[in-house]
Amino acid sequence: MIYQRSSALFAAAQKVIPGGVNSPVRAFKAVGGDPIFVKEAKGAYLYDEDGNRLIDYINSWGPMILGHAYQPVVDAVVEKAKKGTSFGMPTEIETQIAELAVSMVPNIDKIRFVNSGTEACMSAVRLARGYTNKDKIIKFAGCYHGHSDSFLIQAGSGAVTFGSPNSPGVTKGTAQDTLLARYNDLDHVEQIIESNKDEIACIIIEPVAGNMGCIPPVKGFLQGLRALCDTHNILLIFDEVMTGFRLAKGGAQELLGVDADIVTFGKVIGGGLPVGAFAAREEIMNHLAPLGPVYQAGTLSGNPLAMAAGLAMLTELNTNPETFKSLAEKTEYLHKGIEKALKHHYVTHTINRVGSMISVHFAKDHVVDFDSAASGNNETFKKFFHGMLDNGIYIAPSAFETWFITNALTYKDLDDTIAVVEKVAATL
Ligand SMILES: *Cc1c(COP(=O)(O)O)cnc(C)c1O
């Protein structure tokens, strides 16, 4: 395919926007080539500036779980926009979406809305620190919780007690308070807790990892974390920015039957507008300003436009819970088709899937943590990505991303996708 117009738009963008994008992964750096500029989208399809139709497996990185320009969401936003888009004053719709979210998700009494998943996770950690009066946090290598300082941490070689920042601009002081553990390795977490006795405020985790490709928690892992947290007076934060309102009405907590202390949201909860949220039991949430001492605020937080989109989205999911089953079935169908095609052409791979989260790792062994995810063949992924794209299938331009399945996909779309995988696999 020729992307003349996209390439021209990208050249113009690069002059005034760093790297031509407002979020780095959009820039195709991991796969080579210029990013595609999108003009509009409807349902499962993107229409780019060069006049191509693409089947979309990113869906704005998750929010468009019911498809692009989903009518009830569009209508709600248009209606609200006519009445003013932000007041910095309380509005009824904030309570309506809060009531609905609290009724759908286990273990939460109160929820606070922010503007992104990053903000939600950053605020959740501050709340956990304020609530427990402890400073350190445990996060897992390969889990993404947004781009705030505490989370941009990688372990130095063999260092478990001190993380080292993996972005300039993150101070050593901040890095020291973030302890890094291996995903799916309970013993490692236990060791870290032992060597930081009474210093750890919270463990934050993606209950199903989605930012190193899809990696499910092994049996007993989350339950083990829950028990460790209970024993050591540590709060367990489930970052459900990706899994929330995707894996089930109540997210990963419901699907996997494990209780978190604080839950964070983003993506689906905003229906495609900038929304994040964090939620917990009343006793924890009451530590937030203005009730408690932990400060958190936002000029545009809970604005009516964002709340209207989110409320319309959650209402749809709440009234049609079979959506989650339908999504999981479509994803399983895709899984089987891709598996068959890759096997047919002897392409080394491992497919991980939970509900409507799926990823194809071009790795030999089971992918259970960051190291095994990183063992995947990136050259094969690049070829696969461009092969798919040339044939009208848009997957994330990075081997470390989950495919985001939308319920707008038809079985015909899935068959078309599988046929392209078959064709591309022959070239790998
Ligand atoms: C996307 C994501 C975030 C960050 O959300 P933004 O809205 O991009 O700030 C945090 N955690 C997880 C698990 C995510 O997938």
Side-chain angles (χ1 to χ4, degrees):
M1 281 188 199
I2 297 174
Y3 287 105
Q4 227 165 1
R5 186 163 160 75
S6 275
S7 291
L9 290 170
F10 187 50
Q14 282 173 292
K15 293 194 180 138
V16 282
I17 300 172
V21 291
N22 281 311
S23 195
V25 77
R26 296 176 197 168
F28 278 29
K29 263 196 131 171
V31 291
D34 287 351
I36 289 165
F37 275 59
V38 62
K39 191 171 186 180
E40 56 187 275
K42 181 75 189 167
Y45 310 123
L46 296 169
Y47 300 90
D48 68 31
E49 289 281 0
D50 288 275
N52 304 298
R53 190 198 83 167
L54 304 166
I55 301 181
D56 188 10
Y57 285 95
I58 304 185
N59 287 291
S60 188
W61 305 87
M64 306 307 175
I65 194 168
L66 300 176
H68 289 282
Y70 187 68
Q71 206 59 51
V73 174
V74 172
D75 292 344
V77 169
V78 168
E79 277 315 301
K80 269 290 178 218
K82 291 177 189 160
K83 295 175 181 164
T85 56
S86 181
F87 311 113
M89 293 168 72
T91 52
E92 185 181 10
I93 194 170
E94 293 163 86
T95 308
Q96 291 167 339
I97 185 174
E99 283 172 350
L100 182 54
V102 164
S103 77
M104 291 171 78
V105 177
N107 302 313
I108 65 171
D109 301 316
K110 292 186 178 179
I111 184 166
R112 165 117 349 137
F113 286 93
V114 293
N115 306 288
S116 67
T118 295
E119 253 189 89
C121 294
M122 177 187 87
S123 307
V125 164
R126 184 182 304 140
L127 177 58
R129 285 171 163 155
Y131 181 78
T132 59
N133 268 316
K134 296 188 278 187
D135 288 345
K136 291 184 180 173
I137 68 172
I138 295 178
K139 84 170 278 283
F140 294 87
C143 279
Y144 182 65
H145 307 294
H147 64 92
S148 85
D149 286 0
S150 307
F151 302 126
L152 293 179
I153 309 295
Q154 222 170 33
S157 54
V160 289
T161 37
F162 296 109
S164 64
N166 66 354
S167 166
V170 177
T171 65
K172 286 199 195 73
T174 299
Q176 282 185 1
D177 285 331
T178 299
L179 309 171
L180 208 74
R182 265 186 305 279
Y183 200 82
N184 277 329
D185 187 344
L186 203 54
D187 289 345
H188 192 202
V189 178
E190 206 164 352
Q191 277 168 29
I192 294 173
I193 294 174
E194 283 306 321
S195 46
N196 293 272
K197 269 240 172 285
D198 300 321
E199 292 186 275
I200 297 168
C202 63
I203 297 176
I204 184 167
I205 187 166
E206 292 178 66
V208 175
N211 285 288
M212 42 184 165
C214 173
I215 299 185
V218 295
K219 200 161 178 272
F221 178 57
L222 296 178
Q223 289 83 351
L225 292 181
R226 179 67 270 168
L228 283 173
C229 285
D230 289 340
T231 305
H232 297 278
N233 186 29
I234 294 168
L235 294 185
L236 182 59
I237 304 179
F238 274 6
D239 176 352
E240 298 229 37
V241 170
M242 194 183 294
T243 54
F245 306 103
R246 170 170 288 279
L247 294 183
K249 259 195 203 183
Q253 284 194 97
E254 178 186 325
L255 185 77
L256 306 174
V258 182
D259 298 342
D261 296 305
I262 305 180
V263 191
T264 63
F265 299 103
K267 301 191 169 121
V268 175
I269 199 172
L273 267 78
V275 180
F278 59 108
R281 296 187 300 277
E282 182 163 15
E283 49 162 336
I284 298 174
M285 290 307 274
N286 286 355
H287 270 64
L288 276 181
L291 280 182
V294 177
Y295 196 69
Q296 187 279 325
T299 299
L300 293 172
S301 292
N303 73 77
L305 216 54
M307 296 296 94
L311 180 60
M313 175 63 89
L314 296 197
T315 301
E316 290 294 309
L317 295 173
N318 190 47
T319 41
N320 305 303
E322 65 280 2
T323 304
F324 299 106
K325 192 161 160 275
S326 159
L327 276 162
E329 284 168 0
K330 286 176 184 176
T331 310
E332 186 182 3
Y333 185 86
L334 189 66
H335 181 164
K336 286 185 177 154
I338 295 175
E339 180 115 77
K340 194 164 160 224
L342 292 177
K343 272 196 182 147
H344 184 196
H345 295 283
Y346 304 102
V347 179
T348 302
H349 71 278
T350 299
I351 296 177
N352 283 351
R353 171 175 59 87
V354 178
S356 62
M357 290 165 64
I358 182 172
S359 58
V360 181
H361 299 268
F362 293 104
K364 247 195 333 280
D365 301 316
H366 290 304
V367 173
V368 295
D369 58 16
F370 183 71
D371 288 338
S372 44
S375 77
N377 187 330
N378 205 37
E379 289 311 308
T380 305
F381 178 79
K382 280 188 204 174
K383 275 203 224 161
F384 181 70
F385 170 82
H386 282 291
M388 297 296 282
L389 186 56
D390 286 345
N391 289 280
I393 312 291
Y394 193 59
I395 62 171
S398 157
F400 291 99
E401 300 291 348
T402 297
W403 299 29
F404 298 95
I405 306 302
T406 167
N407 207 36
L409 285 162
T410 62
Y411 280 87
K412 163 87 167 57
D413 294 326
L414 298 174
D415 284 335
D416 290 350
T417 304
I418 292 163
V420 171
V421 174
E422 178 78 41
K423 181 173 161 192
V424 172
T427 70
L428 295 178

